[in-house]
Amino acid sequence: MKTRSEELQVFVAVIDCGSISAAAEQMGQTPSAVSRTLSRLEGKLGTTLVNRTTRRMDLTEEGRFFLERARLILEQMNDMEERLSMNRQTPSGRLRINAAAPFMLHAILPWIGEFRQQYPGIELELNTDDLIIDLLEQSTDVAIRIGELADSSLHARSLGCSPVQVLASPEYLARHGTPEKVEDLNGHSLLGFSSPESLNQWPLRHAQGDRWPIRPQLIASSGETLRQLAIAGEGIVSLSHFMTHEDIRAGRLQVVLGEHSNGYRQPIHAVYYRNTQLALRIQCFLDFIQEKLAIYAS
């Protein structure tokens, strides 16, 4: 007997929800119906996919193998249906976006009104997290990541890049003087990140190379915190242009040692699990935000 798509959906729902009862509630079925469907699927395949006890459920080796393929098959079916109906449909449904707080605040929120006006059928859920999240665990459709991507099973789309600049407020520079060469930074109050340490390697050319390692006098985990500290005149900072371009334009911050910049641009990627044609609502958002990010590239 051939496996049906409904059986695949039940199997994936049971694993994602963590229990038969939770999957049944999500799918609008009874727990006994879900249990029978799962047993029927295992019978067709001639193997046990999930070891079930009263307290927990564990995937077997065969279950892990089958789960990966089942997800792919369901995604391909959804993609096919979306592509066939794309010409007669407008993008709709919930779109869950995750980004670090500074990027959400400075590079996404300013454009939300325009996006909602353009795509009124899309329901946005905006979440912030400065740590790398598990997209599946956090029920996220797409996450925006800044900087170099580590090796990952996720699929990524480049959205552009943003220059990284050394900045300070005019008030700070008036009190402490403007550094003329990179080595002058040693006599200043430097604002840095608590992690990762790579963010404290400033993109400045000097006699020994094109990165200047700093020893910050004040550290923070968030770029937004460092931005506020710099605006308040607490020291010199190195931040991405996407979060400081308005400050530079308004005169709250100014570029320091610009002639010594090594030209580094911080990559910006969207990452997601889908490895075939993206859902229309996701595709629309990525196309939209990529166009807007172009203003931060210089």
Side-chain angles (χ1 to χ4, degrees):
M1 297 176 65
K2 294 183 179 180
T3 301
R4 299 163 56 191
S5 61
E6 294 85 352
E7 294 165 341
L8 299 184
Q9 291 170 342
V10 166
F11 171 61
V12 171
V14 167
I15 301 306
D16 288 348
C17 294
S19 70
I20 288 176
S21 58
E25 181 177 355
Q26 181 189 79
M27 303 186 74
Q29 300 183 23
T30 64
S32 59
V34 170
S35 181
R36 285 195 301 270
T37 301
L38 184 57
S39 296
R40 184 169 64 250
L41 175 61
E42 291 177 322
K44 289 180 178 180
L45 297 174
T47 188
T48 299
L49 300 175
V50 183
N51 288 321
R52 306 185 277 282
T53 68
T54 56
R55 293 190 175 183
R56 58 182 297 175
M57 302 178 60
D58 292 312
L59 280 170
T60 63
E61 187 66 30
E62 293 79 7
R64 283 191 290 271
F65 173 84
F66 190 73
L67 178 63
E68 180 180 348
R69 274 76 182 169
R71 289 194 195 280
L72 179 59
I73 291 169
L74 291 175
E75 287 175 0
Q76 290 173 335
M77 292 178 65
N78 288 334
D79 292 336
M80 179 178 63
E81 292 173 358
E82 285 183 355
R83 295 185 70 177
L84 289 174
S85 61
M86 193 174 292
N87 291 333
R88 66 176 188 273
Q89 287 185 350
T90 56
S92 62
R94 183 170 296 275
L95 176 59
R96 297 159 298 190
I97 303 165
N98 185 283
F103 191 86
M104 183 69 74
L105 180 63
H106 296 284
I108 294 181
L109 292 189
W111 308 108
I112 288 300
E114 182 179 342
F115 181 82
R116 295 183 68 198
Q117 185 175 17
Q118 190 169 339
Y119 300 105
I122 297 179
E123 302 171 6
L124 291 173
E125 179 181 319
L126 306 177
N127 298 305
T128 58
D129 200 316
D130 289 331
L131 302 175
I132 294 178
I133 64 163
D134 184 309
L135 270 64
L136 185 60
E137 183 178 308
Q138 298 293 328
S139 298
T140 295
D141 294 307
V142 60
I144 310 299
R145 293 189 179 168
I146 313 301
E148 305 296 337
L149 289 179
D151 291 338
S152 171
S153 59
L154 297 174
H155 296 270
R157 168 174 165 175
S158 174
L159 297 179
C161 57
S162 178
V164 176
Q165 299 163 304
V166 177
L167 306 153
S169 71
E171 292 77 15
Y172 174 86
L173 297 175
R175 293 197 313 269
H176 301 281
T178 300
E180 300 295 332
K181 56 184 184 295
V182 177
E183 290 76 10
D184 292 343
L185 290 173
N186 292 329
H188 283 270
S189 172
L190 306 182
L191 312 177
F193 286 85
S194 53
S195 67
E197 185 57 34
S198 60
L199 294 178
N200 294 328
Q201 302 278 328
W202 287 6
L204 296 171
R205 296 192 308 270
H206 54 97
Q208 285 74 45
D210 62 359
R211 289 275 179 172
W212 183 260
I214 68 161
R215 295 188 63 182
Q217 283 72 50
L218 183 56
I219 63 174
S221 61
S222 169
E224 180 60 21
T225 301
L226 294 176
R227 170 181 167 269
Q228 294 288 348
L229 288 168
I231 292 173
E234 292 299 324
I236 302 177
V237 72
S238 178
L239 294 172
S240 193
H241 190 61
F242 75 79
M243 64 185 301
T244 59
H245 71 288
E246 287 293 344
D247 298 319
I248 296 171
R249 182 182 303 173
R252 291 185 292 268
L253 293 174
Q254 64 185 64
V255 176
V256 175
L257 297 170
E259 67 278 13
H260 295 279
S261 171
N262 69 8
Y264 173 68
R265 293 169 177 261
Q266 207 169 34
I268 303 171
H269 289 91
V271 296
Y272 46 89
Y273 273 114
R274 303 291 288 269
N275 60 354
T276 53
Q277 179 73 23
L278 283 176
L280 183 57
R281 65 187 183 281
I282 300 176
Q283 185 70 54
C284 288
F285 174 77
L286 294 183
D287 290 344
F288 176 88
I289 204 65
Q290 184 171 18
E291 179 182 348
K292 300 305 181 185
L293 287 176
I295 70 170
Y296 307 125
S298 61

